[in-house]
Amino acid sequence: QVHLVESEGGWVQPGGSLSLSCAASGSILHIVAMGWYRQAPGKERELVATITAGHSTNYADSVKGRFTISRDNAKNTVYLQMNSLEPEDTAVYYCNTRAYVAVGRWSDYWGQGTQVTVSS
């Protein structure tokens, strides 16, 4: 099994910054990709950003230029630096990891979620 531990989110004023981290542990052979998703009240969960083992990144249009995803492969940890935060960024943020736990067998794993609130 793979266990994900996310850092705490928090409250920040519009225009502020916040960073999140997520560490994966357990019976991991190889992590294909790590990423962040978010879910606002009354809305579906949506992709925020992903990063592959080769550090290729993908961002939602709504966060491009404001958020930066990075990862430390040695620590199986993914980071999300969020700048110029807007009230619309308020959501529960979930870490996701796609990992091989055995040869030929991969699964998606999710963190418990952390609340990010942007308001004045």
Side-chain angles (χ1 to χ4, degrees), residues 22-106:
C22 172
S25 62
S27 302
I28 300 170
L29 287 185
H30 174 67
I31 292 179
V32 177
M34 303 185 80
W36 293 93
Y37 292 71
R38 67 186 181 187
Q39 187 167 18
K43 294 188 177 181
E44 294 186 353
R45 189 174 298 187
E46 63 176 4
L47 177 146
V48 176
T50 60
I51 184 168
T52 68
H55 298 273
S56 294
T57 58
N58 180 48
Y59 294 92
D61 288 343
S62 60
V63 307
K64 282 181 181 177
R66 300 188 299 121
F67 290 11
T68 301
I69 190 170
S70 60
R71 65 186 280 180
D72 185 331
N73 289 341
K75 297 181 179 179
N76 287 337
T77 299
V78 63
Y79 306 92
L80 185 68
Q81 177 64 41
M82 302 181 288
N83 298 327
S84 302
L85 282 161
E86 304 168 351
E88 292 74 23
D89 296 316
T90 296
V92 177
Y93 283 70
Y94 296 91
C95 174
N96 169 269
T97 294
R98 176 163 292 183
Y100 280 89
V101 296
V103 176
R105 184 161 67 94
W106 61 266

